[in-house]
Coordinates of all heavy atoms in Angstrom, one line a residue:
M1 N 3.5 15.3 -31.1 CA 4.2 15.5 -29.8 C 4.2 14.3 -29.0 O 3.0 13.8 -28.7 CB 3.7 16.7 -29.1 CG 4.5 17.1 -27.9 SD 4.2 18.6 -27.2 CE 2.8 18.4 -26.2
K2 N 5.2 13.9 -28.4 CA 5.3 12.7 -27.6 C 4.8 13.0 -26.3 O 5.2 14.0 -25.6 CB 6.7 12.2 -27.5 CG 6.9 10.9 -26.9 CD 8.3 10.3 -26.8 CE 8.5 9.1 -26.0 NZ 9.7 8.7 -26.0
Q3 N 4.0 12.2 -25.7 CA 3.3 12.3 -24.3 C 4.3 11.9 -23.3 O 5.1 11.0 -23.5 CB 2.1 11.5 -24.3 CG 0.9 12.1 -25.0 CD -0.3 11.3 -24.6 OE1 -0.3 10.0 -24.3 NE2 -1.5 11.9 -24.8
K4 N 4.3 12.7 -22.4 CA 5.2 12.3 -21.1 C 4.6 11.0 -20.4 O 3.4 10.9 -20.3 CB 5.3 13.5 -20.1 CG 6.1 14.6 -20.5 CD 6.3 15.7 -19.4 CE 7.1 16.8 -19.9 NZ 7.3 17.6 -18.7
P5 N 5.4 10.2 -19.9 CA 4.9 9.1 -19.1 C 4.2 9.4 -17.8 O 4.4 10.7 -17.3 CB 6.2 8.4 -18.6 CG 7.3 9.0 -19.3 CD 6.9 10.2 -19.8
L6 N 3.1 8.7 -17.4 CA 2.2 9.1 -16.3 C 3.1 9.3 -15.1 O 2.8 10.2 -14.4 CB 1.4 7.9 -16.1 CG 0.2 8.1 -15.2 CD1 -0.7 9.3 -15.6 CD2 -0.7 6.9 -15.1
I7 N 4.2 8.7 -14.8 CA 4.9 8.8 -13.6 C 5.5 10.3 -13.6 O 5.9 10.9 -12.4 CB 6.0 7.8 -13.5 CG1 6.5 7.8 -12.0 CG2 7.1 8.0 -14.4 CD1 7.1 6.5 -11.7
E8 N 5.6 11.0 -14.7 CA 6.2 12.3 -14.8 C 5.1 13.4 -14.6 O 5.4 14.5 -14.4 CB 6.8 12.5 -16.0 CG 8.2 11.8 -16.1 CD 9.0 11.9 -17.4 OE1 8.6 12.9 -18.3 OE2 9.9 11.2 -17.7
T9 N 3.9 13.0 -14.8 CA 2.9 14.0 -15.0 C 1.8 13.8 -13.7 O 1.2 14.8 -13.4 CB 2.0 14.0 -16.2 OG1 1.5 12.6 -16.3 CG2 2.9 14.2 -17.4
N10 N 1.6 12.7 -13.2 CA 0.8 12.5 -12.1 C 1.4 12.8 -10.7 O 2.5 12.3 -10.3 CB 0.3 11.0 -12.0 CG -0.8 10.8 -10.9 OD1 -0.6 11.3 -9.9 ND2 -1.7 9.9 -11.4
P11 N 0.8 13.9 -10.1 CA 1.5 14.3 -8.9 C 1.6 13.3 -7.6 O 2.5 13.3 -6.9 CB 0.6 15.6 -8.3 CG -0.6 15.4 -9.1 CD -0.4 14.5 -10.3
Y12 N 0.7 12.3 -7.8 CA 0.7 11.1 -6.8 C 1.9 10.2 -7.0 O 2.4 9.6 -6.2 CB -0.7 10.4 -6.7 CG -1.6 11.3 -6.0 CD1 -2.6 12.0 -6.8 CD2 -1.8 11.4 -4.7 CE1 -3.6 12.7 -6.2 CE2 -2.8 12.2 -4.0 CZ -3.6 12.9 -4.9 OH -4.7 13.5 -4.3
L13 N 2.3 10.3 -8.3 CA 3.4 9.2 -8.6 C 4.7 9.9 -8.6 O 5.7 9.4 -8.2 CB 3.2 8.7 -10.1 CG 2.0 7.8 -10.2 CD1 1.9 7.4 -11.8 CD2 1.9 6.7 -9.4
R14 N 4.8 11.3 -8.7 CA 5.9 12.0 -8.6 C 6.5 12.2 -7.2 O 7.6 12.2 -6.9 CB 5.8 13.4 -9.1 CG 5.8 13.5 -10.8 CD 5.9 14.7 -11.3 NE 4.7 15.4 -10.9 CZ 4.3 16.7 -11.2 NH1 5.1 17.4 -11.8 NH2 3.2 17.3 -10.8
D15 N 5.5 12.4 -6.3 CA 5.8 12.4 -4.9 C 5.9 11.1 -4.2 O 4.9 10.4 -4.1 CB 4.8 13.4 -4.2 CG 5.0 13.6 -2.7 OD1 5.8 12.8 -2.1 OD2 4.5 14.6 -2.2
P16 N 7.0 10.6 -3.7 CA 7.2 9.3 -3.3 C 6.1 9.0 -2.0 O 5.7 7.9 -1.9 CB 8.5 9.2 -2.8 CG 9.2 10.2 -3.5 CD 8.3 11.3 -3.8
E17 N 6.1 10.0 -1.2 CA 5.2 9.7 0.1 C 3.6 9.7 -0.4 O 2.8 8.8 0.0 CB 5.3 10.9 1.0 CG 4.5 10.7 2.3 CD 4.9 9.4 3.0 OE1 6.1 9.1 3.0 OE2 4.1 8.8 3.7
K18 N 3.2 10.5 -1.3 CA 1.8 10.3 -1.8 C 1.6 9.0 -2.6 O 0.6 8.3 -2.5 CB 1.6 11.5 -2.8 CG 1.3 12.9 -2.1 CD 0.9 13.8 -3.0 CE 0.8 15.3 -2.3 NZ 0.4 16.3 -3.2
F19 N 2.7 8.5 -3.4 CA 2.6 7.4 -4.1 C 2.5 6.3 -3.2 O 1.6 5.3 -3.3 CB 3.9 7.2 -5.0 CG 3.9 5.9 -5.6 CD1 3.2 5.6 -6.7 CD2 4.8 5.0 -5.1 CE1 3.2 4.3 -7.4 CE2 4.8 3.7 -5.8 CZ 4.1 3.3 -6.7
R20 N 3.2 6.2 -2.1 CA 3.2 5.2 -1.2 C 1.8 5.2 -0.4 O 1.3 4.1 -0.3 CB 4.3 5.3 -0.2 CG 4.5 4.2 0.8 CD 5.6 4.2 1.6 NE 5.6 3.2 2.7 CZ 4.7 3.0 3.6 NH1 3.8 3.9 3.9 NH2 4.7 1.9 4.4
K21 N 1.3 6.1 -0.1 CA 0.0 6.2 0.6 C -1.1 5.7 -0.3 O -2.0 5.0 0.2 CB -0.2 7.7 1.2 CG 0.5 8.0 2.4 CD 0.2 9.3 2.9 CE 1.0 9.7 4.2 NZ 0.5 11.0 4.6
A22 N -1.1 6.1 -1.5 CA -2.0 5.7 -2.5 C -1.9 4.2 -2.7 O -2.9 3.5 -2.9 CB -1.9 6.5 -3.8
L23 N -0.8 3.8 -2.8 CA -0.5 2.3 -3.2 C -1.1 1.5 -1.9 O -1.7 0.5 -2.2 CB 1.0 2.0 -3.4 CG 1.4 0.7 -3.6 CD1 0.8 0.2 -4.9 CD2 2.8 0.5 -3.7
I24 N -0.7 1.9 -0.8 CA -1.1 1.1 0.4 C -2.8 1.1 0.5 O -3.3 0.1 0.8 CB -0.6 1.8 1.7 CG1 0.8 1.4 1.9 CG2 -1.4 1.4 3.0 CD1 1.7 2.0 2.9
K25 N -3.3 2.2 0.0 CA -4.8 2.4 0.1 C -5.4 1.5 -0.8 O -6.4 0.8 -0.6 CB -5.3 3.8 0.0 CG -6.7 4.1 0.2 CD -7.0 5.6 0.1 CE -8.5 5.9 0.6 NZ -8.6 7.3 0.4
S26 N -4.9 1.5 -2.0 CA -5.3 0.6 -3.1 C -5.2 -0.9 -2.7 O -6.1 -1.7 -3.0 CB -4.5 0.8 -4.5 OG -4.9 0.0 -5.4
V27 N -3.9 -1.3 -2.3 CA -3.7 -2.7 -2.0 C -4.7 -3.1 -0.8 O -5.3 -4.2 -0.7 CB -2.3 -2.9 -1.5 CG1 -2.1 -4.2 -0.9 CG2 -1.4 -2.7 -2.7
A28 N -4.8 -2.2 0.1 CA -5.7 -2.5 1.4 C -7.1 -2.7 1.0 O -7.9 -3.5 1.5 CB -5.5 -1.4 2.5
S29 N -7.6 -1.8 0.1 CA -9.0 -1.9 -0.4 C -9.2 -3.2 -1.1 O -10.3 -3.9 -0.7 CB -9.2 -0.6 -1.3 OG -10.6 -0.8 -1.7
S30 N -8.3 -3.5 -2.0 CA -8.4 -4.8 -2.8 C -8.4 -6.0 -1.9 O -9.2 -7.0 -2.0 CB -7.4 -4.9 -3.8 OG -7.5 -3.8 -4.6
T31 N -7.5 -6.0 -0.8 CA -7.3 -7.1 0.0 C -8.5 -7.3 1.0 O -9.0 -8.3 1.1 CB -5.9 -6.9 0.9 OG1 -4.9 -6.8 -0.1 CG2 -5.8 -8.1 1.7
A32 N -9.0 -6.1 1.5 CA -10.2 -6.2 2.2 C -11.5 -6.8 1.6 O -12.2 -7.5 2.2 CB -10.7 -4.7 2.6
I33 N -11.6 -6.4 0.3 CA -12.6 -7.1 -0.5 C -12.6 -8.6 -0.6 O -13.5 -9.4 -0.4 CB -12.8 -6.5 -1.9 CG1 -13.3 -4.9 -1.7 CG2 -13.7 -7.3 -2.9 CD1 -13.2 -4.2 -3.0
E34 N -11.3 -9.0 -0.9 CA -10.9 -10.4 -0.9 C -11.0 -11.2 0.3 O -11.4 -12.4 0.4 CB -9.6 -10.7 -1.7 CG -9.5 -10.1 -3.0 CD -10.4 -10.9 -4.1 OE1 -10.5 -12.1 -3.9 OE2 -10.9 -10.2 -5.0
T35 N -10.6 -10.6 1.4 CA -10.6 -11.3 2.6 C -11.5 -11.2 3.7 O -11.7 -11.8 4.7 CB -9.2 -11.1 3.4 OG1 -9.2 -9.7 3.7 CG2 -7.9 -11.3 2.4
G36 N -12.4 -10.0 3.6 CA -13.3 -9.6 4.6 C -12.7 -8.8 5.8 O -13.4 -8.6 6.8
T37 N -11.5 -8.6 5.7 CA -10.8 -7.9 6.8 C -11.0 -6.4 6.6 O -11.2 -5.9 5.4 CB -9.3 -8.1 6.8 OG1 -9.1 -9.6 6.7 CG2 -8.5 -7.4 7.9
S38 N -11.0 -5.6 7.6 CA -11.3 -4.1 7.4 C -10.1 -3.5 6.8 O -8.9 -3.9 6.8 CB -11.5 -3.6 8.8 OG -10.3 -3.3 9.6
V39 N -10.3 -2.4 6.0 CA -9.4 -1.7 5.3 C -8.4 -1.1 6.3 O -7.2 -1.2 6.1 CB -10.0 -0.7 4.4 CG1 -8.8 0.2 3.7 CG2 -10.7 -1.3 3.2
A40 N -8.9 -0.5 7.4 CA -7.9 0.1 8.4 C -7.0 -1.0 9.0 O -5.8 -0.6 9.1 CB -8.8 0.6 9.5
S41 N -7.4 -2.0 9.3 CA -6.4 -3.2 9.8 C -5.3 -3.5 8.8 O -4.4 -3.7 9.2 CB -7.2 -4.4 10.4 OG -7.9 -5.1 9.3
I42 N -5.7 -3.6 7.5 CA -4.7 -3.9 6.6 C -3.8 -2.6 6.4 O -2.6 -2.9 6.3 CB -5.4 -4.3 5.2 CG1 -6.2 -5.5 5.4 CG2 -4.5 -4.5 4.1 CD1 -7.3 -5.9 4.3
V43 N -4.2 -1.4 6.4 CA -3.4 -0.4 6.2 C -2.5 -0.3 7.3 O -1.3 -0.2 7.2 CB -4.2 1.0 6.1 CG1 -3.3 2.2 6.4 CG2 -5.0 1.1 4.8
H44 N -3.0 -0.6 8.6 CA -2.2 -0.6 9.8 C -1.0 -1.6 9.6 O 0.1 -1.4 9.9 CB -2.9 -0.8 11.0 CG -2.1 -1.1 12.2 ND1 -1.5 0.1 12.9 CD2 -1.8 -2.0 13.0 CE1 -0.9 -0.3 14.0 NE2 -1.0 -1.6 14.1
M45 N -1.4 -2.8 9.1 CA -0.3 -3.9 9.0 C 0.7 -3.6 8.0 O 1.8 -3.8 8.2 CB -1.0 -5.3 8.5 CG 0.0 -6.4 8.5 SD -0.6 -7.7 7.4 CE -0.7 -7.0 5.8
L46 N 0.2 -3.1 6.9 CA 1.2 -2.5 5.8 C 2.1 -1.5 6.3 O 3.3 -1.5 6.0 CB 0.4 -2.1 4.5 CG -0.4 -3.3 3.8 CD1 -1.2 -2.6 2.6 CD2 0.6 -4.3 3.2
E47 N 1.6 -0.4 6.9 CA 2.6 0.6 7.4 C 3.4 -0.1 8.6 O 4.5 0.5 8.5 CB 1.6 1.8 8.0 CG 0.9 2.5 6.8 CD 0.0 3.6 7.4 OE1 -0.5 3.5 8.5 OE2 -0.4 4.4 6.6
E48 N 2.9 -0.9 9.3 CA 3.8 -1.5 10.5 C 4.9 -2.2 9.8 O 6.0 -2.2 10.2 CB 2.9 -2.3 11.3 CG 3.7 -2.8 12.5 CD 2.8 -3.5 13.5 OE1 2.0 -2.9 14.3 OE2 2.7 -4.7 13.2
S49 N 4.6 -3.0 8.7 CA 5.6 -3.8 8.2 C 6.7 -3.0 7.4 O 7.8 -3.3 7.4 CB 4.9 -4.8 7.2 OG 4.4 -4.3 6.1
H50 N 6.2 -1.8 6.9 CA 7.2 -1.0 6.3 C 8.1 -0.4 7.2 O 9.2 -0.2 7.1 CB 6.4 0.2 5.5 CG 7.4 1.2 4.9 ND1 8.1 0.9 3.8 CD2 7.6 2.5 5.3 CE1 8.9 2.1 3.4 NE2 8.6 2.9 4.4
N51 N 7.7 0.0 8.5 CA 8.5 0.5 9.5 C 9.4 -0.4 10.2 O 10.4 -0.2 10.9 CB 7.6 1.2 10.6 CG 6.9 2.4 10.0 OD1 7.4 3.0 9.0 ND2 5.7 2.7 10.4
T52 N 9.1 -1.8 10.1 CA 9.8 -2.8 10.8 C 10.5 -3.7 9.7 O 9.8 -4.4 9.0 CB 8.9 -3.7 11.6 OG1 8.1 -2.9 12.5 CG2 9.7 -4.7 12.4
K53 N 11.8 -3.6 9.7 CA 12.5 -4.4 8.7 C 12.3 -5.9 8.7 O 12.1 -6.6 7.8 CB 13.9 -4.1 8.7 CG 14.4 -2.6 8.5 CD 14.1 -2.3 7.1 CE 14.5 -0.8 6.9 NZ 14.1 -0.2 5.8
S54 N 12.1 -6.4 10.0 CA 12.0 -7.9 10.0 C 10.6 -8.3 9.8 O 10.5 -9.6 9.7 CB 12.4 -8.3 11.5 OG 11.7 -7.7 12.6
A55 N 9.7 -7.5 9.8 CA 8.3 -7.9 9.6 C 8.0 -8.7 8.2 O 7.2 -9.5 8.2 CB 7.4 -6.7 9.8
A56 N 8.8 -8.3 7.3 CA 8.7 -9.0 6.1 C 9.1 -10.5 6.0 O 8.7 -11.2 5.2 CB 9.5 -8.2 4.9
H57 N 9.9 -10.8 7.1 CA 10.5 -12.1 7.2 C 9.8 -12.9 8.2 O 10.1 -14.1 8.4 CB 12.0 -12.0 7.4 CG 12.8 -11.4 6.3 ND1 12.8 -11.9 5.0 CD2 13.4 -10.2 6.2 CE1 13.5 -11.1 4.3 NE2 13.8 -10.0 5.1
S58 N 8.8 -12.2 8.9 CA 8.1 -12.9 10.0 C 7.1 -14.0 9.5 O 6.4 -13.6 8.4 CB 7.3 -12.0 10.8 OG 6.5 -12.6 11.6
P59 N 6.9 -15.2 9.9 CA 6.0 -16.2 9.3 C 4.6 -15.7 9.4 O 3.8 -16.1 8.7 CB 6.2 -17.4 10.1 CG 7.2 -17.1 11.2 CD 7.7 -15.7 11.0
D60 N 4.2 -14.9 10.3 CA 2.9 -14.4 10.5 C 2.6 -13.2 9.7 O 1.4 -12.7 9.5 CB 2.5 -13.9 11.9 CG 2.7 -15.1 12.9 OD1 2.4 -16.2 12.4 OD2 3.0 -14.9 14.0
S61 N 3.6 -12.5 9.0 CA 3.4 -11.3 8.2 C 2.6 -11.6 6.9 O 2.0 -10.6 6.6 CB 4.6 -10.6 7.9 OG 5.4 -11.5 6.9
A62 N 2.6 -12.7 6.4 CA 1.8 -13.0 5.3 C 0.3 -13.6 5.4 O -0.3 -13.7 4.6 CB 2.5 -14.1 4.3
H63 N 0.0 -13.7 6.7 CA -1.3 -14.1 7.0 C -2.2 -13.0 7.6 O -1.9 -12.3 8.4 CB -1.2 -15.3 8.1 CG -0.4 -16.4 7.5 ND1 -0.8 -17.3 6.6 CD2 0.9 -16.8 7.8 CE1 0.2 -18.2 6.4 NE2 1.2 -17.8 7.2
I64 N -3.4 -12.9 6.8 CA -4.4 -11.9 7.3 C -5.6 -12.6 7.6 O -6.1 -13.5 6.8 CB -4.8 -10.9 6.1 CG1 -3.4 -10.2 5.8 CG2 -5.8 -9.9 6.6 CD1 -3.7 -9.3 4.5
K65 N -6.0 -12.5 8.8 CA -7.1 -13.2 9.4 C -8.5 -12.4 9.3 O -8.4 -11.3 9.7 CB -7.0 -13.6 10.8 CG -5.7 -14.6 11.0 CD -5.4 -14.8 12.5 CE -4.2 -15.7 12.6 NZ -3.0 -15.0 12.8
P66 N -9.5 -12.9 8.5 CA -10.8 -12.2 8.4 C -11.4 -11.9 9.7 O -11.2 -12.8 10.6 CB -11.7 -13.1 7.6 CG -10.7 -14.1 6.9 CD -9.4 -14.2 7.8
Q67 N -12.0 -10.8 9.9 CA -12.7 -10.5 11.1 C -14.1 -11.0 11.0 O -14.7 -11.1 10.0 CB -12.7 -8.9 11.3 CG -11.4 -8.3 11.6 CD -11.5 -6.7 11.7 OE1 -12.5 -6.2 11.5 NE2 -10.4 -6.2 12.2
K68 N -14.6 -11.3 12.1 CA -15.9 -12.0 12.1 C -17.0 -11.0 12.6 O -16.7 -10.0 13.3 CB -16.0 -13.1 13.1 CG -15.2 -14.3 12.4 CD -15.2 -15.5 13.2 CE -14.4 -16.6 12.6 NZ -14.5 -17.8 13.4

């Protein structure tokens, strides 16, 4: 029997909102480890850029400054 693709069986991938939240959490966690920035601030930045169409084109949107 052929297995269904993960996107069809995993509830987090089937529900777009759950998928987006999980993706943001994953990206934020990885980025926090690499940059020393808090996960919460990265999540905030990612959610804000999703809500603002022009944020993706802003010169500052690609820069994450590590917290001291």
